[in-house]
Amino acid sequence: MPVGDYCRQPVQTVHPDEPLRAAARRMRDEGVGALVVVHEDRRVAGVLTDRDLALQVLREGRDPDATPVRALVAREPVVVHADAPLALVAGMMRRRGVRRLPVVDRSERLVGVIAADDVLRLLARELGGLAEAVAAQAPAAGGRAGWEGETVPGPEVE
């Protein structure tokens, strides 16, 4: 399952030179907690979260009208390629301590974003399908399938 098949599109973005206040307004207006920071050519510069704004702007006393978005974005953005397997995403998120990953094409241009919530929903759906398949293969009442297809007694019911 390639990541590109499951990422969210369109993506709310912000330019690195926009002031932080403009980014905060965009988050509010779009109802999102993060914006992908992109250059004019759609190459990813990073991700700006509402948490970044709250902690860094307030804690450090930055002027949100004079501080550009680029001041809060990491130098090396964490991205995942659209053709990467979905199984790779959870590990990347865990190792990097992020909840959202911009998804890029082979030219490193933004095509979508995948969030931890998206991955959890997909895994839950897959596990639900697996549980249904197992249940459909279980023998009728009176026992349950054991190893090698043998039937083992089920719970006693009075």
Side-chain angles (χ1 to χ4, degrees):
M1 299 190 302
V3 174
D5 291 350
Y6 300 97
C7 65
R8 292 184 193 189
Q9 300 170 352
V11 182
Q12 286 75 28
T13 63
V14 65
H15 189 276
D17 293 330
E18 283 195 52
L20 292 173
R21 187 176 309 276
R25 283 189 182 122
R26 182 161 306 134
M27 284 184 198
R28 179 198 64 206
D29 295 346
E30 298 289 334
V32 297
L35 298 170
V36 179
V37 183
V38 294
H39 299 284
E40 291 85 7
D41 63 0
R42 305 274 302 162
R43 290 184 190 268
V44 176
V47 175
L48 177 70
T49 68
D50 50 4
R51 189 169 195 269
D52 295 331
L53 290 170
L55 294 180
Q56 293 187 46
V57 173
L58 294 175
R59 180 182 60 212
E60 297 172 11
R62 294 177 186 246
D63 178 355
D65 294 310
T67 307
V69 167
R70 77 173 63 250
L72 298 190
V73 176
R75 297 280 179 230
E76 292 295 320
V78 180
V79 300
V80 63
H81 287 91
D83 56 1
L86 186 60
L88 178 74
V89 172
M92 286 181 70
M93 288 178 172
R94 186 184 70 250
R95 283 190 304 279
R96 297 300 192 108
V98 297
R99 294 179 39 113
R100 299 165 190 90
L101 285 174
V103 179
V104 297
D105 63 17
R106 291 178 191 259
S107 300
E108 301 295 320
R109 288 180 172 72
L110 180 67
V111 296
V113 68
I114 191 149
D117 293 352
D118 301 327
V119 175
L120 289 173
R121 271 192 294 280
L122 290 166
L123 289 173
R125 188 170 66 213
E126 290 297 315
L127 288 174
L130 181 60
E132 288 175 12
V134 168
Q137 293 177 358
R144 63 183 192 276
W147 294 104
E148 306 284 325
E150 68 189 50
T151 300
V152 294
E156 300 264 338
V157 179
E158 293 187 29

